[in-house]
Amino acid sequence: MIQRALHPQPRILIADDESSLRTVLSAMLRREGFQVTSAKDGVEALALLKASLSADIDDPFEAVIADIKMPEMDGMSMLEQMAKHHEDIPVIMLTAHGTVDLAVQALKNGAYDFLTKPYERDELLMVLRKALGQSSKNAMAPRTQLGLKNGQMIIGESAQMRQLHDVIERVADTPSTVLITGESGTGKELVAHALHHKSARAQKPFIRINCAAIPETLIESELFGYERGAFTGAVTSKPGRFELADGGTLFLDEIGELPVEVQVKLLRVLQESCFERVGGVKTIHMDVRLVTATNRDLQKAIAEGHFREDLYYRLNVVPIALPSLRDRKDDIGPLATHFVRKFNTRLGLHIEGFSEKAIPLLQCYPWPGNIRELENIVERTMLFANHATIMPEDLPPEILAHQKAQKLCKTLQLKEVSDETSMKEIVRQATFELERDLIVQALVEMNGNVTHAARKLKISRKSLQLKMKDFGLRGSETET
Ligand SMILES: Nc1ncnc2c1ncn2[C@@H]1O[C@H](COP(=O)(O)OP(=O)(O)OP(=O)(O)O)[C@@H](O)[C@H]1O
Ligand SMILES: [Mg+2]
């Protein structure tokens, strides 16, 4: 079995032509627990970045520190190149006094931040940790991730994700068909990409077709192509997706939506490794690795007569079932951190991450839209957050509202464990917590102003003060 090495320390790339600076900076960063690689100019740095993506590595570079002025290729051109292939990696520019204009230009071109030389150690560390989307506290938290060529990552530390990484490593480079199942937004397409990029077919095409998005009448010709005159409107011949994917991977997404007639043809193609275009007589041999995905229950579709059982067994040689996010709560923190980093770069924000109290709230939410929903919510939260570190009150209402419901449920469950607790007591406790949460939220929203919070809660200022006393809360009251 292939074991994946785990590197708990973020990997940093330094590009600077001054060897003394490289030495001092590397030593300092290593002492701080980072892994460091250095390059003497942009050309070398880009080569290292490229190698890190194509090699079978589990810890790609997570940040780059680059000098603006270097021989061969300077920091600016390097930044330009990185925007094409490594847009997710934050770049911190180092600049000598007098070249601040250039640095500002670099920021416009997508650099994460810049520091003037001689840099301050603490400032550099702070910027670097921000760039990594980590608070200084969890900077060294272990992560598990699988780098893909296109800069995408499969993030996850949970047992299920580790197992997934293993499966991908083992089957990527085989010709066996893979059927990926999982709820919407669990990463099916991402896994299909990973299988392709980790295989010897990586340099060949990856062709995706969404079976649900193409009208039934056109699917067959889309898949297998057609000859001139095959049907009305076929004025030229056209290759299908199978031909386009030759030597590479064909990803049939939403395979559960494939019409039964096309299922028959697909089955034959899989059995014989060849096909004819619609209206054609020439047999075309193919070398295509087939990966399929669905969020439908295919067993049920088989039982209902919508999916052919024989095709199912052909497709399901390697089954990969992706767990839903609510079943692997441990991954929510690392995923949220990953998305913070991504959107900091993409949206030019400087959010440090989620506070210790915010993460459990994210973990309580059931995430019906799985990772896609998490990604969207992180983006939205970052745009509207009032703090550099996202606090519980910065979270969107659906998460907060759900948290309350959860708490209530939890308290009610107490009844089952301790029979002595009366229902009255349970309700009292639940009300107490709910009330306290509402008050805290109102106070936070009104910057601690009791009068305004009372107005918002539609209770008198006096009774709010009494309740706050009960709850041990304090506001910043200015008499009005
Ligand atoms: N483990 C992961 N690490 C990081 N990002 C992920 C992970 N899994 C999914 N994502 C991201 O979540 C989003 C949804 O993933 P993807 O499109 O692969 O899901 P899907 O299962 O194909 O969804 P659907 O069924 O709705 O088509 C993408 O932006 C993807 O990059
Ligand atoms: Mg998908």
Side-chain angles (χ1 to χ4, degrees), residues 71-314:
E72 293 294 330
M73 182 189 273
D74 65 12
M76 292 296 259
S77 334
M78 183 181 153
L79 199 59
E80 234 170 73
Q81 290 299 313
M82 283 190 65
K84 289 184 198 153
H85 307 288
H86 312 278
E87 52 149 356
D88 280 343
I89 306 178
V91 185
I92 297 162
M93 298 303 240
L94 291 179
T95 167
H97 277 300
T99 54
V100 170
D101 286 355
L102 263 182
V104 172
Q105 190 56 41
L107 285 187
K108 286 192 185 144
N109 293 348
Y112 178 80
D113 209 338
F114 73 87
L115 295 166
T116 46
K117 288 185 189 175
Y119 62 86
E120 284 285 329
R121 176 185 167 280
D122 287 348
E123 194 190 0
L124 183 125
L125 283 174
M126 192 192 71
V127 171
L128 180 60
R129 282 179 177 141
K130 255 196 196 170
L132 293 168
Q134 301 164 334
S135 65
S136 40
K137 200 144 134 264
N138 66 6
M140 303 309 153
R143 280 155 309 102
T144 303
Q145 47 184 233
L146 188 66
L148 303 186
K149 263 200 175 146
N150 48 7
Q152 283 179 305
M153 304 268 193
I154 297 184
I155 305 284
E157 296 176 358
S158 59
Q160 294 103 309
M161 288 311 271
R162 283 170 200 267
Q163 203 191 352
L164 174 70
H165 288 302
D166 274 344
V167 172
I168 291 175
E169 295 284 359
R170 280 175 188 234
V171 304
D173 213 9
T174 68
S176 315
T177 56
V178 178
L179 173 62
I180 308 166
T181 53
E183 288 177 17
S184 170
T186 45
K188 296 186 290 295
E189 187 164 348
L190 195 62
V191 168
H193 275 284
L195 288 167
H196 178 71
H197 286 296
K198 296 229 132 202
S199 76
R201 297 171 178 267
Q203 303 303 329
K204 299 284 182 152
F206 174 89
I207 304 283
R208 167 179 184 253
I209 182 166
N210 181 348
C211 302
I214 296 174
E216 270 190 31
T217 49
L218 295 182
I219 288 199
E220 189 178 351
S221 56
E222 273 296 325
L223 283 176
F224 307 107
Y226 54 83
E227 292 296 348
R228 198 161 81 116
F231 46 83
T232 329
V235 286
T236 54
S237 330
K238 201 181 151 208
R241 306 287 172 112
F242 266 101
E243 271 174 83
L244 296 177
D246 192 36
T249 306
L250 178 64
F251 175 44
L252 297 183
D253 205 354
E254 316 236 21
I255 187 81
E257 312 308 314
L258 202 66
V260 176
E261 313 82 74
V262 186
Q263 291 176 26
V264 180
K265 180 147 181 187
L266 180 60
L267 178 65
R268 213 208 86 207
V269 171
L270 288 177
Q271 284 164 341
E272 296 167 12
S273 286
C274 62
F275 60 93
E276 291 89 36
R277 286 180 179 174
V278 177
V281 287
K282 202 176 95 198
T283 300
I284 300 170
H285 291 270
M286 58 163 203
D287 166 28
V288 170
R289 204 277 175 86
L290 194 66
V291 176
T292 60
T294 183
N295 55 16
R296 268 181 72 171
D297 180 351
L298 286 187
Q299 302 279 8
K300 194 162 154 248
I302 292 169
E304 289 166 355
H306 302 308
F307 206 85
R308 288 186 64 109
E309 192 167 14
D310 43 8
L311 177 62
Y312 173 77
Y313 289 119
R314 279 272 166 187

